[in-house]
Amino acid sequence: MNRPAAFAAVLGLTRAASNLGDHIVQDDFCACVKSATDDAPVRYAANPGDEPSVNGTAAGRRACAWHCFTYVTTQAAVVGLGTRVLGIRLHPGAAAAATVLSFASHYAVDRRVPGGLVETLAAKAGKKNFFRKADHGINGVYLMDRALHHGFETLAALIAITKATSR
């Protein structure tokens, strides 16, 4: 087993699946409501003429959890099929640990409640202004979200190839 090649393959598959899970599979409701709290509720209407629902903490947590479930399901399907085609056999325990890390880290990053993980990290890194930036084609919170996801996906890919073998 060529471990660097296995890592590169799993990371590439994970990244592709991440973009699918975040931008194609995630539904509009989850994308809009996953950061809702009782103190900062999110009004959501599926269509322009619909009466919007008001969503608080419970709805935000459910929306974020559902998004993370569909996200890791997408990753598992893409990585599972891709590694099979490439002749890489992942150890079930390592694959499960990588999936748990992906779910938990994605939830922590995507929940984005006021004072949440991304905002706290931005403040500690001296990047509060960048975190809030949303003009001239730049969205700071989104870019920080992506950077954190990339970091956690890299760690998950390293975990996933633990004890990997050739088919």
Side-chain angles (χ1 to χ4, degrees), residues 44-81:
Y44 177 82
N47 300 301
D50 293 350
E51 181 67 29
S53 60
V54 178
N55 300 278
T57 301
R61 288 178 179 155
R62 280 192 305 275
C64 195
W66 180 252
H67 162 55
C68 292
F69 173 77
T70 62
Y71 174 88
V72 298
T73 301
T74 303
Q75 283 184 323
V78 170
V79 171
L81 290 170

Side-chain angles (χ1 to χ4, degrees), residues 1-10 88 157-165:
M1 166 61 55
N2 183 327
R3 298 189 79 60
F7 168 71
V10 170
I88 302 167
L158 286 169
I159 292 168
I161 65 157
T162 303
K163 300 182 183 178
T165 58

Side-chain angles (χ1 to χ4, degrees), residues 101-124:
L101 173 63
S102 186
F103 182 96
S105 64
H106 203 86
Y107 185 93
V109 170
D110 270 25
R111 188 70 174 99
R112 276 198 229 138
V113 296
L117 177 66
V118 180
E119 187 174 6
T120 299
L121 291 174
K124 288 183 185 282

Side-chain angles (χ1 to χ4, degrees), residues 16-28 74:
S18 172
N19 276 323
L20 289 171
D22 257 350
H23 302 117
I24 304 298
V25 175
Q26 177 176 208
D27 66 28
D28 191 56
T74 303

Side-chain angles (χ1 to χ4, degrees), residues 121-144:
L121 291 174
K124 288 183 185 282
K127 296 190 170 288
K128 276 290 247 192
N129 289 329
F130 182 71
F131 174 83
R132 291 189 198 105
K133 186 170 182 63
D135 61 6
H136 302 291
I138 294 177
N139 182 311
V141 70
Y142 177 77
L143 292 171
M144 294 180 90

